[in-house]
Structure formats: structure tokens, C-alpha cells
Amino acid sequence: FRARHKAMAECSSAATRAALSRERGFDAEAQGRDGMTYAVVEFANPAEPSRTVRVEALVDTGATDCEISQSLIDELGLTPFDQATFETAAGISMSSALYRAIVRVEGRESLVLLSPSEKDEEEDSDDSEDAEDAAARAADAALDAAHGFKAISDDGLLGHDALAALGLLVDCGRRKLVPAP
């Protein structure tokens, strides 16, 4: 988040954006808005491949598996096959069901592990948020809103195991997926 904010601040003036675009060879305004890579991803039920959902997913090479909301998992009719413990980027450990799903991206398809998104786990948690966490969350939300971002900017997550299975790499400069050589 802080890196995104710094990039947006760096691109705050039209003259700076134009200079960066010339210097770096990319649209500095678009890059400054959001330095993350997204892809349109289709998930399908392996037992019923015609049962699908499409989402805009954050491509996260720091994540292992894929994630979508529990409501979409339910829509696909998936049943859990295992339970796993994950550690989030914030260092929080949580237990979650694991599902198998077909993932389709850029005309490629593979079987992947899928879990409910972290936000679903947080909503289900009985732990109450302390004042400091609530204040930090409110400050982050205000900063996102000031720059026109939604609080939750992705409907799914595409992790590195899925990218490898699909034979795709992330072109960070152009913020897109490309076939592995």
C-alpha cells in the first residue's frame, strides 16, 4: 500500500508524469494509479467444467494458491478436500478449507488449489478489532478513497503455483501476464 501511495505521489503533477513517461517508456499516470497486475480469471468445477465464475484477480507472486470469495466457491458447487493453515502477509495464521478447481487464464487451463479469500476469514472471525487496528484500517481506507481506489480492489487472487502450472510469467513493466519461454 505504501509503495502504491509513493508511486502516486511521484506522479502527482502533469509535468512529472510526462517526464517519467518519456524517461521510462510507459504511462506513468496509469502505473502510478496502481502498481499491481490483474488478470481476468475463470474458475470452474472439475466435476462440472461448465459451472464457472469469472473474476478480476490480483496476480500475487507472493501467494501460493488461488483465492476467491466463499460465495463464489459455493456458486461453483465445490466441496473441500482438505484443511490447511496459512500465514497472511500481516503475519496472522488462519486455518481454511482447501478446494480443487480448474483455472483458465489467457487461453490456458490447469487444476489448482483454491481457498476462500482472507476477507471472508476475517469476517467470520469472532476476534474484535482493537482501536489501533481500526484506526489504521480507517486511515488506509481514507487514503484509498482519496485516490479513487475501492477498499477491496480485486475479486480473486492468482498465486504463483497457478502461474507456474499455466506456464505464465508476470511482465512487471507492462503489468500483464506473458507465456513462459
Side-chain angles (χ1 to χ4, degrees):
F1 177 80
R2 300 211 190 300
R4 181 187 339 165
H5 184 258
K6 181 180 177 190
M8 291 177 348
E10 183 179 75
C11 296
S12 61
S13 75
T16 301
R17 285 192 303 274
L20 285 169
S21 293
R22 282 191 306 276
E23 174 187 318
R24 298 181 186 170
F26 64 80
D27 181 348
E29 181 176 16
Q31 295 290 343
R33 276 197 306 269
D34 195 339
M36 298 177 206
T37 301
Y38 294 88
V40 175
V41 178
E42 183 177 81
F43 291 97
N45 183 324
E48 299 177 62
S50 62
R51 203 166 172 179
T52 65
V53 296
R54 287 177 74 110
V55 299
E56 181 179 36
L58 171 66
V59 177
D60 186 350
T61 58
T64 305
D65 301 324
C66 297
E67 294 181 358
I68 57 175
S69 70
Q70 184 63 55
S71 64
L72 293 177
I73 291 171
D74 295 342
E75 187 176 324
L76 288 170
L78 300 176
T79 55
F81 75 92
D82 201 358
Q83 192 79 10
T85 301
F86 297 94
E87 184 174 331
T88 69
I92 299 166
S93 289
M94 57 180 44
S95 184
S96 178
L98 282 180
Y99 302 84
R100 286 192 179 97
I102 295 171
V103 64
R104 298 180 182 124
V105 183
E106 302 283 330
R108 295 166 182 243
E109 178 178 300
S110 184
L111 189 64
V112 297
L113 293 180
L114 183 64
S115 60
S117 61
E118 183 181 324
K119 67 180 182 173
D120 289 339
E121 298 291 333
E122 289 172 2
E123 289 168 3
D124 292 342
S125 173
D126 292 348
D127 300 338
S128 60
E129 186 175 51
D130 68 20
E132 187 176 319
D133 287 343
R137 190 179 301 263
D140 287 350
L143 195 51
D144 268 350
H147 293 288
F149 291 109
K150 297 185 291 184
I152 298 168
S153 59
D154 50 283
D155 296 321
L157 185 136
L158 188 64
H160 66 77
D161 279 358
L163 292 172
L166 292 163
L168 294 170
L169 300 173
V170 180
D171 179 337
C172 296
R174 294 186 295 163
R175 307 282 187 242
K176 63 185 253 179
L177 297 176
V178 295

